[in-house]
Amino acid sequence: FTYQQETSENLLTYRIIENTTARLEELVYIGLDNLPADIETKIQEVRTVRMGRIFNQADIIGQNERILQVLRNNGYFYATYKRPLVIYMPERNVDSVTIFFQPGKRQRIASYYFVDSLRGQPGIALKTRENQLEFKVGDWYDQSAMAQSERNLYSLGVFDLVGIDTSSARVPHSDTALSLRVFTRMKKVQEIGLSLLTNKNASDDFWNAGVEGTYTHKNAAGSAQTLNP
């Protein structure tokens, strides 16, 4: 670095020397060889990185994340992978990349339960909440189904916070099954509005005054239906 007298600051300068671009000769995945045939097929469908092309780290990371998503959408809640091992072979100017996946044991949903923060508001009927869930007991854990279930609950318009996560508070986890907690927090569902109205009658030059009231209930009968009489 160099010292800048005008500003009394140190200036750190990086000099990057670009070598010739290397091509990807080999991309090896370790840990994915004992999966069910249907999961292997889905993984092959998201593998888009081709050998012989210029090495692109972002493309490989994107493919790794797609594979991880396939696993987590098909029961492998604990799936993860380690940082890729990249070996450069200068004699041929090519790269070999090895990625270690750890799928873990496949998990089913053993149970789920609701935890509600009502904040003084009337609750939502259990059936209405259950109808928003994209999973049921016995299904393989599916991360995308959890996310869609959260969106469905938000779409009712009566919650300001929704979260679905694992919890062994009521039912212990096993090595192949998970218990889920569905948390919801109510927002204000009743609104009352009052407004003062005034107008002048042109024929007799008198002022008239009145009061207009409105009432809205966004959780009529506990079914998340809006009542606006």
Side-chain angles (χ1 to χ4, degrees):
F1 61 88
T2 57
Y3 178 70
Q4 306 293 306
Q5 289 185 336
E6 313 83 58
T7 60
S8 300
E9 295 177 342
N10 290 321
L11 177 64
L12 182 61
T13 303
Y14 290 93
R15 291 181 174 83
I16 300 175
I17 301 175
E18 294 187 6
N19 293 317
T20 58
T21 55
R23 296 191 176 275
L24 181 62
E25 182 181 69
E26 186 179 41
L27 179 56
V28 178
Y29 285 96
I30 305 295
L32 301 177
D33 47 352
N34 292 318
L35 299 173
D38 61 321
I39 307 301
E40 290 184 350
T41 299
K42 292 177 181 179
I43 289 175
Q44 288 300 322
E45 291 173 353
V46 300
R47 292 187 60 170
T48 58
V49 176
R50 298 290 177 257
M51 303 306 106
R53 295 183 178 178
I54 293 174
F55 174 85
N56 188 311
Q57 180 175 308
D59 287 348
I60 295 174
I61 292 175
Q63 178 166 285
N64 295 343
E65 288 298 311
R66 291 193 298 273
I67 293 174
L68 184 63
Q69 193 67 41
V70 168
L71 293 171
R72 290 184 177 174
N73 287 349
N74 289 274
Y76 294 94
F77 172 79
Y78 297 106
T80 185
Y81 65 90
K82 296 181 178 179
R83 185 175 180 178
L85 173 64
V86 181
I87 299 176
Y88 174 61
M89 290 169 278
E91 64 278 5
R92 299 200 309 277
N93 193 33
V94 295
D95 290 320
S96 174
V97 180
T98 303
I99 299 156
F100 299 88
F101 263 84
Q102 297 173 321
K105 289 188 176 181
R106 204 174 185 187
Q107 306 290 316
R108 290 189 183 275
I109 298 173
S111 66
Y112 65 85
Y113 63 94
F114 288 91
V115 175
D116 306 312
S117 176
L118 298 178
R119 304 164 79 185
Q121 302 295 319
I124 297 291
L126 177 61
K127 188 63 175 177
T128 300
R129 287 174 288 160
E130 287 184 328
N131 287 341
Q132 312 310 311
L133 303 182
E134 299 290 336
F135 59 86
K136 61 183 183 299
V137 172
D139 287 351
W140 293 116
Y141 175 84
D142 184 339
Q143 188 176 63
S144 64
M146 304 299 141
Q148 184 59 53
S149 298
E150 291 180 352
R151 290 191 290 269
N152 292 347
L153 287 164
Y154 271 122
S155 71
L156 293 176
V158 296
F159 302 121
D160 64 6
L161 183 62
V162 174
I164 302 177
D165 54 20
T166 60
S167 173
S168 59
R170 295 190 182 181
V171 179
H173 299 322
S174 72
D175 61 345
T176 57
L178 302 169
S179 178
L180 302 178
R181 183 189 73 151
V182 183
F183 175 80
T184 57
R185 188 176 71 185
M186 294 290 295
K187 62 182 179 182
K188 186 178 180 180
V189 296
Q190 299 185 69
E191 298 177 357
I192 299 175
L194 292 174
S195 60
L196 179 65
L197 303 177
T198 61
N199 70 290
K200 186 176 182 180
N201 193 324
S203 61
D204 52 18
D205 202 32
F206 281 104
W207 285 92
N208 300 311
V211 176
E212 180 183 54
T214 61
Y215 173 75
T216 302
H217 197 305
K218 299 180 180 178
N219 185 26
S223 60
Q225 300 297 313
T226 298
L227 174 65
N228 189 7

